[in-house]
């Protein structure tokens, strides 16, 4: 692998304060080389900021293959750059299933059909079900505190950045309806509140956190069709963030298509369901922030990418029995990454926010 072309792309693209966790990991790993000889397939969405993740893996000694799939978008120019640098690229749709890897660092379960020798590291909650029949350990990077930085702060910020790119930058006094109030939904509500929007949440009210009412004027139950229609009335925008495919299929399609609101999806898969045509939803139902060169700013995804890498090192070090299990990120692993993020990063003051939802 020749990383010089990648280093030239990265030079000047980011300040070190934007990626303190990956920087610290890379500096440590290029000396200790904890992944020496390990065959790793990394299926992180391929964008420019992913190159810093690959650099840490490669300099830690990994035999790196980058995975792409139909599940997650990618930047074609970065994929070409990887090829120019001699880094193997594997398309999930072209895999035989017999490819040999030690670790599959997966995203949304795109490569869950493979049988890595040691195990998987999964980046997203939406990919969890893909391993239901797996007989390999799964380090679940989404299961800890760090993922909230990306999904709450980063994805919330990127939704409004994408909307600004489409020409919708004025939110003051405008009504936004958010379906789903997990990490992504709460982040969108937080930023909507900061933008001066009137915020409404649609969720399972039996499980809704009362703290939502700090940013939402009204919280309605997703099963109450009349209430959902009521909050959609007069809405400027409605966005899905449930993490569940076809989550809105129980709502009559005409309620969604006829409300006049801009419709957007911030989930990995189509959350509106087959009754809502793609042309009625921004970006054709695809995840809206993926219209951006950087779907999530590096400062918000840095710690998550470092944790995803750390999951590979964790599995390699322990070589756990080959049986299905989810392994949550150890507290000490997350705290070490968070400490570097607080001390050397740009988002230290924002980290308190993620504990508020």
């Amino acid at each position: 692998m020749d990383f010089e072309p990648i280093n030239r792309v990265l030079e000047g693209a980011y300040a070190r304060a934007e990626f303190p966790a990956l920087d610290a990991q890379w500096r440590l790993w290029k000396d200790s080389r904890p992944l020496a000889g390990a065959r790793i397939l990394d299926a992180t969405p391929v964008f420019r900021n992913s190159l810093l993740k690959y650099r840490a893996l490669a300099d830690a000694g990994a035999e790196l293959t980058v995975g792409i799939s139909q599940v997650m978008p990618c930047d074609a120019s970065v994929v070409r750059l990887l090829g120019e640098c001699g880094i193997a690229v594997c398309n999930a749709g072209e895999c035989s299933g017999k490819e040999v890897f030690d670790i599959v660092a997966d995203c949304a379960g795109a490569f869950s059909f493979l049988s890595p020798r040691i195990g998987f590291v999964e980046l997203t909650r939406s990919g969890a079900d893909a391993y239901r029949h797996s007989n390999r350990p799964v380090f679940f990077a989404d299961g800890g505190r760090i993922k909230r930085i990306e999904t709450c702060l980063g994805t919330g910020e990127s939704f409004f950045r994408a909307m600004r790119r489409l020409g919708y930058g004025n939110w003051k006094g405008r009504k936004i309806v958010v379906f789903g109030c997990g990490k992504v939904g709460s982040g969108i509500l937080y930023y909507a509140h900061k933008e001066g929007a009137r915020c409404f949440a649609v969720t399972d009210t039996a499980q809704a956190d009362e703290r939502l009412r700090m940013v939402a004027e009204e919280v309605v139950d997703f099963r109450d069709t009349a209430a959902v229609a009521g909050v959609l009335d007069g809405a400027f925008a409605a966005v899905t963030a449930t993490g569940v495919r076809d989550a809105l299929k129980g709502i009559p399609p005409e309620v969604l298509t006829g409300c006049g609101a801009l419709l957007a999806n911030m989930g990995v898969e189509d959350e509106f369901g087959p009754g809502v045509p793609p042309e009625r939803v921004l970006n054709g139902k695809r995840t809206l922030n993926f219209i951006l060169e950087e779907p999530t700013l590096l400062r918000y995804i840095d710690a998550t990418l470092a944790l995803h890498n750390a999951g590979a090192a964790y599995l390699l070090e322990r070589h756990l029995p080959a049986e299905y299990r989810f392994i949550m990120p150890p507290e000490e692993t997350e705290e070490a990454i968070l400490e570097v993020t607080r001390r050397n990063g740009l988002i230290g003051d924002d980290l308190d926010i993620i504990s508020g939802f």
Side-chain angles (χ1 to χ4, degrees), residues 168-324:
Y168 307 112
N170 179 17
W171 292 88
K172 190 169 182 61
R174 285 178 159 170
K175 185 178 183 181
I176 183 171
V177 180
V178 178
F179 289 84
C181 297
K183 294 191 288 288
V184 174
S186 61
I188 293 170
L189 286 166
Y190 167 71
Y191 278 97
H193 185 70
K194 284 183 66 175
E195 293 277 348
R198 298 177 57 224
C199 303
F200 295 78
V202 180
T203 187
D204 183 346
T205 52
Q207 300 182 30
D209 193 314
E210 280 300 311
R211 288 173 291 186
L212 282 174
R213 300 188 186 279
M214 294 189 300
V215 293
E217 290 185 28
E218 187 176 353
V219 180
V220 305
D221 195 276
F222 73 97
R223 290 166 287 239
D224 188 340
T225 304
V228 171
V231 296
L232 285 172
D233 184 37
F236 176 67
V239 54
T240 55
T242 69
V244 178
R245 183 178 180 83
D246 298 337
L248 274 60
K249 66 181 180 181
I251 300 170
E254 61 271 17
V255 171
L256 297 165
T257 59
C259 69
L262 296 167
L263 302 182
N265 174 38
M266 285 296 285
V268 172
E269 301 193 71
D270 171 18
E271 299 189 6
F272 283 94
V276 178
E279 59 270 19
R280 180 62 181 83
V281 183
L282 296 172
N283 198 30
K285 290 190 174 182
R286 294 180 295 276
T287 315
L288 186 65
N289 61 331
F290 281 103
I291 68 172
L292 300 165
E293 181 182 22
E294 292 201 7
T296 304
L297 291 178
L298 180 57
R299 67 190 64 182
Y300 296 115
I301 204 172
D302 167 58
T304 295
L305 297 182
L307 179 63
H308 201 222
N309 282 353
Y314 179 96
L315 292 179
L316 282 167
E317 180 182 347
R318 287 158 181 79
H319 209 141
L320 300 167
E323 60 188 38
Y324 170 77

Side-chain angles (χ1 to χ4, degrees), residues 138-156:
V138 181
F139 184 102
F140 192 41
D142 195 283
R145 291 182 294 154
I146 279 176
K147 197 63 161 55
R148 294 186 67 86
I149 301 173
E150 174 197 348
T151 51
C152 184
L153 295 176
T155 310

